[in-house]
């Protein structure tokens, strides 16, 4: 091997390594999440909800931003996770960690069953199927009010102490720390997937699923695997939310929430991991600020946000930020 | 025994009328999808707008119901052209996801706008007297409103098929749906054909929404409530096939009516389950091209 | 008698009423350099789609190395050594060529659903991908996004993606389509430099290229095989000249 090819090979490998390396803003982001705990003690419940929504958006990002599978009904799995944890607690088993895992497992099983249809359809049919599954489940939860509480939601659930030590407090301190820890762990899992060979295959599916079989890719297996994973993470997010608010609302299965999470992800940016966190934060804060407005009207601004993001940004807030950074870099170089 | 037959006839009558209405509302979406591969989830906005136009003209302006219908058609067609020109055209080449998001955003904005202009509550109507009476033929009784839906639906459906199969413009539409590139090669101005088709399709949605105000109900969340119906029509029918859209509309109209008649407590549940089974069985729709 | 690398028998395909492939009998010997020609709309691309499993045939059989693959899904045919390129670029716009070819290498190794180890630690796959790009002369393009690549380089990437699956039968659908004349020759030099073990079938409209690089020609007209034989014979055939070369000369 000549020195030249050796250098080129090293550059090729370094390319992949550089992509996967932790960036400077990543520790800042997570340290900021910890700082939130100390800086805004009265906003911890909001912070917990943002984290749960971000995790939910992250699960959607795995199928949509990486796998290219569009879903209009992803809250199916969020709701299944929430109800699983809630029902366990209601009927006598309120240990948070096992309830959380149970939420993830049932959502994964549901995702596995759904995946048989999901991987066979594309385009509008895929929208219909995901939406349809969501609607069916909503109807079931609505009608089975003896079990689920119907439109009143699942009330009177109590979760035990986390690790048998930390009791959920009114200020939401324990819930925040616990949620942050779980979300961070699952973020690491997502990060691992994204920079693995499987992550590359997912990007391939997103970029051009028609080409994939011609490379020998078993598209349906890829699709089913990421769908199950994504469903599991969505279920974990739902269970986390149920545990922190000690309540499961029927609208955790509502189509509205499916569209909300899609909106968060798009506003933040798809296929960039942090897009879901940025999007969830922006969305929740905007909604918090517009809370005085009649919901009938504030959806106007959410809709406008979607239209603007699609027409005028390349990839949501994260896309706009990285474009701006690139612009400054180019300008800096031109001046020096 | 007799009441069973009576029930079946009733369901057939109402189901076909509802199916026709669905077809009139959604045929435009099917063609749009076939021609431009453009998934306009906001199609229901046009139907809602048609409904509000008719309602407003009737109750604020005192216009006769039948006179408001062509106005609903025309106004919605004009609005849709503006939307197509200035917004939609930018995303034809974009990823499907962008189209979905853009049109979802438009749904949200129009829901809020409708709530602002017409109020968030459902509109209540009193139809003109001649539409609220029941007629009897032998033992079979039907509302004149249902008969009107059926009559209009049949006439419009026939007109659509005639237009598509027998006119020059229809031939251009079919060519463009079949293969855009070939149509371009034949010297067809696909963009213009599309704009006109889009206007007609949207106008028809507006007309359907206006005709159906009494059967469908009218409130700002209309575009979301009926979104799944439109998606079912184009997916089960197979995007781009008008016959498929008609068959799917009738199937949907009949099964929805039958479900409400025989098992009212299950709500829309049955349709969704049947739809999922159909998608599992034929992912490209019952009449779609593979 | 040696078995052919690829063989079809009585292959048929209709689109509605349109018969696009009609009773096609075809053989590609091991290591062949074989051209498939015919006027626009003759059904050449459709034939490739049938061979690779992108479309399923209405009737007829397809054999790869003497084993039937008629009912095999597309990706499994690739695993058996049948690869193709596309007439219209079918690439991954937001991946770099290096990523795309590495992806193909992962698929071949069956590691594409693994999470461990991280991609950066699959050195051998990355180096293999880079080596292939360098061999085809686009090593210096390896780190740019595909959508920023010059069209000619994208055409080469098409071939690189197919080769990354390590095929022994390669189907090229107008590899030089849209490439300026002086560059298409270079593209074909790349193709003719491929290892002898790989059987190549290419679709090409440019007759100079066909006669320069093909050892055997099949002429497809309206979905039927009109003629097949060595270039000299095809060039002399009056019917081919009338149907195909004549129209090509005018159009
Ligand atoms: N999916 C399809 N549905 C319907 N008709 C099709 C489809 N694909 C191809 N056709 C038609 O089949 C015929 C053959 O097409 P094909 O693409 O195989 O031709 P070709 O020989 O590759 O032509 P070219 O030289 O232009 O590439 C054409 O008339 C085309 O319009
Ligand atoms: Mg071709």
């Amino acid at each position: 091997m000549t020195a030249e090819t050796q250098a080129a090979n090293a550059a090729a490998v370094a390319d992949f390594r550089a992509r996967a390396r932790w960036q400077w803003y990543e520790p800042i982001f997570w340290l900021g999440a910890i700082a939130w705990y100390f800086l805004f003690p009265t906003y911890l419940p909001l912070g917990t909800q943002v984290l749960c929504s971000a995790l939910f958006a992250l699960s959607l990002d795995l199928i949509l931003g990486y796998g290219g599978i569009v879903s209009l009904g992803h809250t199916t799995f969020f709701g299944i996770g929430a109800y699983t944890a809630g029902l366990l607690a209601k009927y006598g088993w309120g240990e948070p960690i096992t309830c959380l895992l149970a939420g993830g497992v049932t959502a994964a099983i549901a995702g596995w069953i759904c995946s048989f249809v999901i991987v066979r359809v594309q385009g509008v049919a895929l929208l219909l199927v995901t939406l349809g599954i969501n609607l069916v489940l909503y109807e079931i939860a609505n009608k089975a009010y003896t079990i689920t509480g119907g439109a009143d939601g699942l009330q009177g659930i109590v979760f035990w102490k986390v690790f048998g030590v930390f009791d959920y407090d009114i200020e939401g301190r324990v819930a925040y720390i616990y949620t942050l820890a779980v979300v961070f762990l699952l973020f690491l899992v997502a990060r691992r997937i994204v920079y693995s060979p499987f992550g590359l295959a997912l990007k391939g599916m997103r970029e051009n699923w028609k080409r994939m079989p011609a490379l020998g890719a078993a598209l349906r297996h890829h699709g089913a695997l990421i769908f199950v994973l994504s469903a599991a993470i969505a279920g974990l997010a739902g269970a986390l939310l149920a545990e922190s608010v000690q309540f499961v609302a029927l609208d955790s299965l509502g189509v509205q929430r499916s569209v909300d999470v899609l909106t968060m992800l798009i506003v933040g940016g798809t296929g960039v991991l942090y897009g879901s966190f940025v999007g969830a934060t922006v969305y929740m804060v905007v909604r918090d600020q517009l809370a005085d407005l009649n919901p009938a009207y504030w959806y106007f601004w959410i809709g406008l946000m979607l239209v603007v993001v699609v027409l005028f940004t390349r990839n949501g807030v994260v896309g706009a930020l990285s474009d701006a950074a690139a612009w400054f870099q180019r300008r800096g170089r031109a001046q020096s | 025994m007799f009441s069973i037959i009576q029930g079946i006839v009733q369901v057939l009558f109402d189901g076909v009328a509802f199916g026709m209405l669905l077809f009139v509302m959604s045929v435009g979406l099917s063609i749009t999808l076939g021609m431009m591969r453009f998934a306009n989830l906001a199609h229901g906005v046009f139907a809602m707008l048609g409904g509000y136009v008719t309602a407003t003209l009737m109750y604020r302006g005192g216009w006769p119901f039948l006179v408001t219908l062509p106005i609903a058609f025309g106004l919605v067609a004009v609005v849709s052209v503006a939307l197509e020109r200035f917004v939609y055209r930018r995303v034809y080449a974009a990823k499907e996801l962008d189209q979905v998001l853009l049109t979802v955003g438009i749904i949200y904005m129009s829901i809020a706008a409708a709530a602002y202009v017409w109020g968030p509550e459902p509109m209540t109507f009193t139809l003109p007297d001649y539409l609220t009476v029941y007629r009897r033929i032998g033992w079979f009784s039907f509302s004149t409103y249902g008969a009107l839906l059926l009559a209009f639906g049949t006439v419009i459906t026939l007109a659509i098929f005639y237009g598509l199969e027998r006119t020059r413009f229809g031939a251009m539409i079919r060519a463009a749906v079949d293969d855009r590139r070939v149509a371009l090669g034949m010297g067809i101005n696909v963009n213009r054909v599309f704009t006109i088709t889009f206007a007609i399709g949207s106008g028809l949605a507006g007309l359907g929404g206006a005709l159906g105000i009494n059967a469908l109900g009218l409130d700002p969340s209309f575009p979301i409530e009926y979104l799944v119906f439109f998606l079912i029509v184009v997916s089960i029918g197979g995007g781009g096939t008008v016959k498929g859209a008609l068959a799917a509309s009738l199937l949907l109209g009949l099964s929805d009516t039958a479900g409400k008649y025989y098992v009212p407590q299950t709500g829309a549940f049955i349709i969704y389950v049947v739809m999922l089974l159909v998608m599992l069985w034929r992912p490209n729709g019952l009449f779609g091209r593979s | 008698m040696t078995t052919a690398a690829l063989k079809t028998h009585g292959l048929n395909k209709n689109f509605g009423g349109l018969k696009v492939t009609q009773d096609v009998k075809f053989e590609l010997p091991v290591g062949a350099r074989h051209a498939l020609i015919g006027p626009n709309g003759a059904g050449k691309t459709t034939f490739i789609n049938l061979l690779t499993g992108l479309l399923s045939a209405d009737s007829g059989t397809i054999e790869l190395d003497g084993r039937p693959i008629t009912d095999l899904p597309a990706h499994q045919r690739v695993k058996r050594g049948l690869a193709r390129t596309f007439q219209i670029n079918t690439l991954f716009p937001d991946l770099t060529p290096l990523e795309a070819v590495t992806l193909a290498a992962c698929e071949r190794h069956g590691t594409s659903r693994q999470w461990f180890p991280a991609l950066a630690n699959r050195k051998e796959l990355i180096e293999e991908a880079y080596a292939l790009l360098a061999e085809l002369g686009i090593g210096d393009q390896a780190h740019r996004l595909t959508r920023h690549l010059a069209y000619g380089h994208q055409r080469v990437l098409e071939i690189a993606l197919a080769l990354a699956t390590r095929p022994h039968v390669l189907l090229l659908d107008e590899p030089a389509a849209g490439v300026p004349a002086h560059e298409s020759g270079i593209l074909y030099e790349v193709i003719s430099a491929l290892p002898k073990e790989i059987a190549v079938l290419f679709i090409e409209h440019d007759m100079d290229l066909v006669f320069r690089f093909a050892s055997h020609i099949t002429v497809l007209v309206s979905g039927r095989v009109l003629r097949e034989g060595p270039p000299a014979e095809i060039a002399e055939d009056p019917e081919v000249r009338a149907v195909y070369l004549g129209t090509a000369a005018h159009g």
Side-chain angles (χ1 to χ4, degrees), chain B residues 239-264:
Chain B
T241 68
V242 177
K243 281 187 191 126
L246 178 62
S249 301
L250 290 176
L251 210 67
L252 182 56
L254 281 168
S255 44
D256 187 54
T257 310
K260 284 198 179 114
Y261 190 88
Y262 293 111
V263 273

Side-chain angles (χ1 to χ4, degrees), chain C:
Chain C
M1 193 190 116
T2 57
T3 53
L6 188 66
K7 198 166 161 182
T8 72
H9 196 82
L11 211 57
N12 281 294
K13 180 74 186 175
N14 297 343
F15 287 123
L18 190 67
K19 293 179 177 162
V20 193
T21 306
Q22 295 187 61
D23 200 26
V24 171
K25 186 172 179 294
F26 174 83
E27 248 190 74
L28 187 68
V30 176
R33 294 290 180 272
H34 203 128
L36 179 64
I37 65 172
N40 288 113
K44 305 181 294 294
T45 299
T46 304
F47 182 57
I48 300 248
N49 287 343
L50 291 172
L51 293 176
T52 52
L54 218 63
L55 292 171
S56 56
D58 296 340
S59 63
T61 55
I62 308 168
E63 281 176 22
L64 187 66
D65 310 317
R67 290 194 299 170
I69 57 165
T70 319
D71 299 319
L72 230 48
H75 68 274
Q76 282 178 20
R77 300 187 195 193
V78 176
K79 295 253 184 275
R80 299 249 184 115
L82 177 66
R84 70 168 297 176
T85 67
F86 291 80
Q87 180 173 355
I88 299 167
N89 279 344
T90 306
L91 301 168
F92 306 98
D94 272 334
L95 297 187
T96 63
L98 184 63
E99 282 180 300
V101 177
T102 305
L103 166 58
C106 288
E107 293 290 356
R108 196 186 79 244
H109 278 253
T111 57
S112 63
R113 272 196 296 282
Q114 292 179 359
W115 310 358
F116 290 96
L119 199 52
N121 295 339
R122 303 307 304 245
K123 252 179 102 168
E124 71 293 351
L125 293 180
I126 298 170
E127 286 177 358
E128 173 194 319
Y130 181 79
L132 179 58
L133 291 170
E135 204 179 302
L136 296 185
I138 53 170
D140 53 342
Q141 307 291 322
H143 300 279
R144 304 178 64 196
L145 289 185
T146 301
R147 64 189 157 92
H148 294 155
L149 253 49
Y151 182 77
H153 290 146
Q154 292 187 356
R155 289 313 282 169
V156 180
L157 181 56
E158 270 285 337
I159 299 174
L161 285 178
L163 287 176
T165 68
R166 298 257 171 94
H168 59 269
V169 176
L170 180 60
L171 312 174
L172 303 167
D173 194 349
E174 301 194 26
V179 176
H182 61 277
E183 278 180 41
S184 58
I186 305 174
L187 208 61
Y188 270 94
E189 297 297 343
V190 169
I191 295 165
S192 66
L194 292 175
K196 260 288 155 240
E197 312 83 71
I198 303 183
V200 180
L201 171 69
F202 61 92
I203 299 175
E204 181 53 64
H205 280 296
D206 184 333
M207 284 306 128
D208 290 340
L209 292 171
V210 170
F211 289 124
R212 231 163 85 203
F213 293 101
S215 54
H216 201 87
I217 300 177
T218 299
V219 187
L220 204 65
V221 177
S222 306
R224 278 184 191 284
V225 177
L226 179 73
R227 279 290 178 282
E228 60 162 323
E233 243 173 65
I234 297 293
E236 296 306 314
D237 191 291
E239 211 172 338
V240 173
R241 293 185 77 95
V243 169
Y244 183 69
L245 300 178
T247 54
H250 291 297

Side-chain angles (χ1 to χ4, degrees), chain A residues 64 117 120-121 123-125 127-129 131-132 135-136 140 143 256 259-260 266 296-297 299-300 303-304 306 310, chain B residues 33 96-98 100-102 104-105 108-109 112 115-116 228 231-232 234-235 265 269 272 275-276 279-280 283:
Chain A
L64 192 153
V117 199
R120 282 176 169 73
V121 293
V124 181
L127 299 178
L128 174 64
V129 166
L131 183 63
L135 287 167
V136 167
I140 292 176
K143 291 274 148 63
Q256 185 69 58
V259 181
D260 284 348
I266 296 317
Y297 302 141
Y299 268 103
F300 182 85
L304 188 64
L306 271 176
V310 171
Chain B
L33 196 65
E96 180 199 44
L97 175 64
D98 283 345
V100 168
L101 295 165
L102 180 82
V104 166
Y108 275 176
M109 291 172 72
Y116 184 75
V228 68
L231 288 178
I232 289 178
V234 295
S235 306
Q265 66 280 8
F269 189 74
Y272 301 150
M275 175 271 289
L276 286 177
M279 294 316 286
L280 192 56

Side-chain angles (χ1 to χ4, degrees), chain A residues 198-222:
Chain A
F198 185 47
L200 184 59
L202 291 175
K203 284 180 209 155
M205 278 168 70
R206 172 193 69 195
E207 290 294 307
N208 197 339
W209 62 269
K210 279 188 187 143
R211 181 74 197 223
M212 291 295 283
L215 301 184
L219 260 190
R220 289 183 180 178
H221 289 133
H222 289 7

Side-chain angles (χ1 to χ4, degrees), chain B residues 27-89:
Chain B
V27 65
L29 179 59
S30 178
I31 294 184
T32 313
L33 196 65
M35 206 187 288
M36 286 296 184
R37 306 258 125 244
F38 175 56
N40 180 17
L41 299 192
H43 191 71
V45 170
F46 299 137
M48 174 176 75
L49 186 59
Y52 275 121
V53 167
T54 283
T56 309
L57 289 177
M58 273 171 75
Y59 299 111
R60 306 244 165 95
W63 295 41
F65 177 64
L66 292 179
V67 177
T68 65
L69 295 180
I71 297 178
F73 176 90
L75 213 68
V76 172
V78 169
V79 169
S80 77
V81 169
L83 196 65
E84 199 266 333
R85 271 283 154 90
F86 298 115
V87 184
Y88 285 178
R89 205 164 266 196

